[in-house]
Amino acid sequence: MGGMTHSLMRKALFENRNDALQKLLNNMPLSFFENQDCIVVGISFNGILLANSLAQAIKAPLAFLFTAPILAPNNPECEIAMATETHDVVISEVLVRSFGISLDYIYGEVQRQYEDKMLPLIYQYRKGNPLISLKNKRVLLVDDGIDSGLTALSAIKSVTTLQAKTIYFATPVAPYEVAKAMEEVTDGVFCLYKTKTFVDIDYYYKDYPPVKPSMIEEIFSKIQS
């Protein structure tokens, strides 16, 4: 009964990913990004459709940054950090301290996740090619929602390492405090809805189906490497 009540009370912000895209496009200075030195970078498979559609809308090339979560040693449901294919990592200091987890464990896991998870995906989807150069480019990171912020902040860190000229982030929804943290380390964040009572990403979409592997393959077939 509680779940039914929760469902009835829910009012989605977005009908689907396309609705979120249109609302984002209506709230972004598109002309600022419509030039040769802009690259749109997707950072999750759930967000790859939104990133691809946004890239097409501003006629910019699309790239994809692979990431993998670092999980607590005794709790496989708890993400304590996020690593990227460039070996950049963002750590949840609060969780690491509360669990008493060593940095040696985290950085060991970064390497293991790269070899066991990210590298196979890089070969599967990008034929083993490195990420397109982002040096001196205007980078627009995109995801269809932010939760803990670990993925977003690790992606921002990677793009900084890769010497992007400017870094912007576009997402339909994010927790208020996470959006503030992202604003401090980017040149701008385009976020339609910042909330202090964040639930989870799919809560804000009326229709949020999983992205099919065939769709991911199709998008990657067009991604520049």
Side-chain angles (χ1 to χ4, degrees):
M1 178 64 73
M4 185 179 296
T5 303
H6 179 74
S7 174
L8 290 171
M9 290 173 63
R10 169 180 168 178
K11 181 170 171 55
L13 293 170
F14 312 109
E15 287 293 317
N16 49 37
R17 290 181 175 95
N18 190 56
D19 181 40
L21 170 69
Q22 295 307 316
K23 287 173 177 172
L24 261 180
L25 293 175
N26 290 339
N27 285 273
M28 291 175 61
L30 300 184
S31 59
F32 179 75
F33 296 102
E34 290 172 335
N35 59 59
Q36 300 262 336
D37 71 350
C38 177
I39 297 178
V40 174
V41 179
I43 62 172
S44 77
F45 284 158
N46 275 341
I48 197 170
L49 294 178
L50 186 68
N52 182 54
S53 297
L54 205 158
Q56 290 176 341
I58 63 173
K59 299 179 176 62
L62 175 68
F64 190 87
L65 180 73
F66 287 96
T67 63
I70 308 302
L71 306 175
N74 298 318
N75 186 347
E77 300 296 315
C78 181
E79 294 181 0
I80 57 170
M82 188 67 63
T84 72
E85 63 178 279
T86 59
H87 291 80
D88 287 289
V89 59
V90 168
I91 299 167
S92 171
E93 303 287 354
V94 172
L95 290 176
V96 166
R97 277 199 305 271
S98 65
F99 289 136
I101 298 168
S102 72
L103 290 179
D104 283 346
Y105 168 81
I106 292 171
Y107 284 102
E109 281 295 292
V110 169
Q111 185 59 34
R112 189 177 73 81
Q113 288 295 326
Y114 175 76
E115 293 172 356
D116 294 353
K117 185 172 181 181
M118 286 184 272
L119 204 52
L121 289 172
I122 289 169
Y123 274 94
Q124 177 182 353
Y125 290 110
R126 214 161 60 205
K127 314 304 180 196
N129 291 318
L131 183 67
I132 188 173
S133 174
L134 303 180
K135 187 174 182 179
N136 295 326
K137 299 293 185 181
R138 203 174 276 175
V139 171
L140 178 60
L141 293 160
V142 179
D143 210 349
D144 57 3
I146 306 297
D147 42 38
S148 70
L150 288 176
T151 303
L153 291 168
S154 65
I156 292 165
K157 192 172 182 180
S158 271
V159 173
T160 303
T161 298
L162 295 170
Q163 298 178 282
K165 180 165 65 177
T166 59
I167 304 169
Y168 292 84
F169 206 111
T171 188
V173 59
Y176 179 79
E177 291 300 329
V178 174
K180 276 182 61 179
M182 290 165 59
E183 287 167 358
E184 290 173 5
V185 290
T186 62
D187 295 283
V189 174
F190 305 103
C191 182
L192 299 172
Y193 185 71
K194 304 169 191 173
T195 174
K196 293 183 177 179
T197 55
F198 187 85
V199 182
D200 52 44
I201 294 169
D202 65 356
Y203 177 84
Y204 300 98
Y205 288 81
K206 185 175 179 181
D207 184 28
Y208 190 72
V211 179
K212 295 177 182 176
S214 59
M215 294 178 175
I216 298 171
E217 290 277 8
E218 183 181 351
I219 291 171
F220 267 96
S221 70
K222 301 169 188 172
I223 286 181
Q224 295 186 22
S225 60

